[in-house]
Amino acid sequence: MFKWAKWLLREEFEKDIVSPNGRLRCRFYLKNDQIHYSIFKDEKTILRKSKLGLKFCGEKLIENNLRLVRTQSHRKNETIEMPWGEDRFLKNNYHETAFYFAEADKPNRIFTLRFRVFDDGLAFRYEIPPQPKFQQLVIADELTEFNIDPNATAWKIPAYQPDRYEYNYEKVAVSSLRQSVHTPLTIRTPNDAYLSIHEAALYDYGSMTLKLNENLILKSDITPLSDGTKAHVLLPFQTPWRLIMVASSAISLTTNRLIYVLNDPPREDFSWVKTLKFIGIWWAMYVGEWTWAPGERHGATTEHAKEYIDAAVRLGISGLLIEGWNDGWEGDWLQNGIHNKFTVSTSDFNLPEIAHYAKSKNIEIVGHHETVGFVDNYESQLEAAYNYYAKNGIHYIKTGYAGSMMSINGRREYHHSQVGVNHYQKTIELAAKNHICLDIHEPIKGTGIERTWPNLLSREGARGQEYEGGAISPSHACFLPYTRLLSGGMDYTNGIFDLTNNVKRISTTLARQLAYFVTIYSGMTMAADRPFMYEGNLKSAFKFIHDVSTSFEKTIPLAGEIGEYYVVARKDRDSENWYVAGITDENPRHIHINLDFLDSNVYRAEIYQDSETAHYRDNPFGIDIATKHVGKSDSLDINLAAGGGFAIRLEKK
Ligand code: NOJ
Ligand code: CA
């Protein structure tokens, strides 16, 4: 069938693909029907010879009589523009080679491996074009290996666990990764390269987790479906990009944006998408003052919602999240979610009235859909639920999937399986059709699809502040920029001021709560405490939350180490102002900040920092607020308390 000229068919082949600056090199090998690749940076081995391949159900492995038919190389060097986010302009600069393979024997399958080598990482994917004998395929396994030195250090969270991605990061040796872990998996090699293994453009496929195989090599473990297979796909099909970010320091890894450039530009107009800062009928439930369920202490009443809308106006915050507004929260909501109704309000909450009131005050309502993982129930109401919000002029929805598994098509499936991935995608596309932006809690991890779907403004997908009151240490948020946040923004629910609450004791200082608005980027950013906690601070600590931007022109990582501290500067998209912030673990720290990234000498710095006696345990409220004139030739020296942080607004004069 495939009559490739004999002279083109190569049984053995080796080729180097070199990055634009010549420093990163990928070597590709075909020998004895096996495909391998390895990565070098400046002659240092980053990844040893690692196997590639796919295994299909009911078919023999594509392993025998494998021939390279041809290769095709090209280069790209362009700048892309993101509509919102941490950096407006991103470089998409790579050298690409595609390797076209065919089986010399029946069934003469063909497939392509496409590699892109950037200065700061490498990506590849498998592409299966249409072929006469197959219209669909069932993927049994993906053989992709990442052969890292077993002595390397990794920062991991476990995969396939009931709380999804909501775990504390642990520092371990790669040689110990016998149980699957999620990506991005950040690694420091013994020769001091910093890597993060991840994927980009995850569509219609199980998400990639990683674990050691029987040869103790780190291998992709694609999340299975309940039938034990990895994915059922129609041809043509391409896997997500397998991505290895490469940096020479932990701090420079934090601005690796390859996940975005590996995704496609949007196919429709998204100029209606706007980032948002919001408060919520929310933390009052976490500290036990109000309830999601109807009753005496019901949070989402018409009266409370009006009070909160008025408060948002006073605070100068544009949005209000309302949780617990709909039918289904009675009793143990984590068990009963199968009955949740997404178009029916509780009897004490009038959605059209609140939507109307909010509009009259210029406040955006953030709607809420808690599915508890009962996806069948949610999907049966999906169109109606999104129409209902759209009809009431609501342009933002926070969704949630708080269950250990999803129920889809009557089966229990992982959130991060192919059907889970497809469900999230369905909500993003339906939301886009209704001009609605999403903030997904218990989401699928980020793989840069916000580039194509900018209405996906944020997601959770890590342990957030709701775990405070015992399950978060000051180091937790110091891991995130180097791990979870490499997959995009996060709704961490920042800005809790009630730090000594008995129900939810917070393990940070007050200045640190402000710092989060800069250190943890989110296109939908929550000021999570109850408004009365902010009202007395409008001219002090809350002013920073009011002022801080939700979309940045550029981000400059300044200093940090994984799990220890992180300092970053970000320039506002819409003004000449800058925001600089830092956080530290349990250890107090002195930070020296050189302001040479500023472009002139006339800035007014508003500095919010831990007081001399501040401490996350003994004196969390100790904060010093001061202003100062600074410029690009100046520097600032800041002391961070244990569990502390700082936030600075630099206003150009
Ligand atoms: C978990 C989410 O992360 C949280 O923000 C939400 O309040 C609860 N689920 C209830 O939906
Ligand atoms: Ca959650």
Side-chain angles (χ1 to χ4, degrees), residues 567-593:
V567 185
V568 65
R570 304 196 200 255
K571 180 173 183 288
D572 183 16
R573 273 267 169 131
D574 304 316
S575 75
E576 292 302 309
N577 299 340
W578 283 81
Y579 298 89
V580 185
I583 57 175
T584 180
D585 56 11
E586 290 80 355
N587 299 302
R589 214 172 283 274
H590 173 88
I591 303 280
H592 178 78
I593 305 165

Side-chain angles (χ1 to χ4, degrees), residues 57-230:
C57 284
E59 299 289 334
K60 59 180 186 169
L61 270 174
I62 302 193
E63 201 168 43
N64 294 316
N65 286 320
L66 202 57
R67 299 289 180 269
L68 183 71
V69 179
R70 68 187 173 105
T71 66
Q72 194 175 33
S73 297
H74 92 273
R75 295 171 171 207
K76 185 154 221 163
N77 187 3
E78 62 173 10
T79 298
I80 65 168
E81 186 173 353
M82 299 289 284
W84 51 266
E86 297 172 82
D87 288 288
R88 183 199 289 265
F89 298 110
L90 303 178
K91 252 199 330 187
N92 186 22
N93 184 12
Y94 60 79
H95 291 175
E96 175 182 288
T97 299
F99 299 89
Y100 295 85
F101 294 96
E103 283 175 302
D105 290 346
K106 287 209 162 92
N108 298 108
R109 288 167 294 186
I110 56 173
F111 75 100
T112 307
L113 248 173
R114 188 176 302 278
F115 280 86
R116 284 187 186 166
V117 184
F118 302 80
D119 290 340
D120 56 350
L122 169 136
F124 58 87
R125 73 179 179 201
Y126 305 88
E127 301 173 355
I128 311 168
Q131 26 209 317
K133 293 221 179 101
F134 309 90
Q135 280 74 50
Q136 53 192 48
L137 281 172
V138 180
I139 312 263
D141 198 11
E142 186 182 309
L143 309 178
T144 310
E145 290 177 352
F146 303 91
N147 190 351
I148 305 266
D149 185 329
N151 297 314
T153 305
W155 286 267
K156 64 142 198 191
I157 53 167
Y160 305 114
Q161 298 300 309
D163 287 328
R164 305 150 306 264
Y165 303 102
E166 298 174 3
Y167 288 89
N168 289 322
Y169 282 85
E170 263 182 85
K171 182 178 175 182
V172 297
V174 163
S175 59
S176 75
L177 298 177
R178 288 165 192 271
Q179 306 290 326
S180 295
V181 296
H182 280 301
T183 79
L185 178 69
T186 296
I187 290 169
R188 187 182 64 222
T189 64
N191 53 16
D192 282 334
Y194 286 80
L195 318 177
S196 194
I197 303 176
H198 191 40
E199 58 186 319
L202 170 58
Y203 290 105
D204 198 19
Y205 201 68
S207 114
M208 181 174 77
T209 70
L210 299 167
K211 76 169 178 192
L212 295 180
N213 65 11
E214 57 291 349
N215 303 321
L216 302 185
I217 295 173
L218 204 59
K219 177 188 163 296
S220 67
D221 168 28
I222 306 301
T223 304
L225 293 160
S226 56
D227 68 6
T229 68
K230 306 290 190 181

Side-chain angles (χ1 to χ4, degrees), residues 164 166 441-442 460 462 466-467:
R164 305 150 306 264
E166 298 174 3
H441 276 233
E442 298 79 37
E460 188 190 35
E466 62 197 43
Y467 281 80

